[in-house]
Every structure is written in C-alpha cells, then in structure tokens.
Amino acid sequence: QVRLVESGGGLVQAGGSLSLSCAASTAIFSIYAMGWYRQRPGKQRELVGSITRAGSTHYEDSVKGRFTISRDNAKKMVYLQMNSLKSEDTAVYYCNANLNSGTNYWGQGTQVTVSS
C-alpha cells in the first residue's frame, strides 16, 4: 500500500501562485504514474495532470500553461506548481498513485481557495 500526504494548500488571490507537495510512504520510481486530481464545489473529481515514471506529463486543458507537475524519485515527492490561479481553480486537490496493476492510492486532499 502507498500512503500519500498532500501539503501546501491554502488561500491565495486570483493571479497568484501556490505550490502543492505530495509525500509518498514508499519509493515512487517504479509506480507507473503519479497524478493530481481536484474536486471543485458541486462537481465530480477530475484529473488535473499526471506524470509517468518516464517523466511524460499530461494536463487538463484548463490548466495547460499555468500548472506544472514534477517528481523527485529520490525524495519520494511529487509537486504541483500552480501559477496564474483563477477562482475556478478553487477545489480540494488530491495526490494519486497509479500502479502498473491499475490500482490507485489517494491522499487525504488539501484545500486550495482562490479569492477574486
């Protein structure tokens, strides 16, 4: 089992930046993909972006050019740098580990609130 703990959430003004971190309890170099999801008020959880073990990244269209996912295998950490934040980015952000088997593990989530 992979335990994930997110941190870095908080309140930020529109146009500002925020960096989220995800700490894993196990090595992540062999995990197929690490990702960030979010659940906005009144909406279903959605994929924000992901990064594979090879370093390939994928982003939701709405965050392309604004968000950047990175990983540090040695530190067992995954990051989400968020720039030019908008009010619609307000959500609970979740770290995800997608194993080769298809099994997924989730963190507890961290709240990001963007004020106008």
Side-chain angles (χ1 to χ4, degrees), residues 31-61:
I31 295 176
Y32 175 69
M34 300 295 295
W36 286 95
Y37 287 70
R38 68 184 179 187
Q39 187 164 18
R40 293 180 285 179
K43 298 183 179 180
Q44 296 184 346
R45 186 178 299 185
E46 63 183 347
L47 174 67
V48 175
S50 63
I51 182 167
T52 69
R53 60 193 176 197
S56 298
T57 57
H58 170 79
Y59 299 95
E60 180 191 29
D61 288 342

Side-chain angles (χ1 to χ4, degrees), residues 24 26 50 58 61 74 76 84 93:
T26 64
S50 63
H58 170 79
D61 288 342
K76 299 186 292 184
S84 301
Y93 284 73

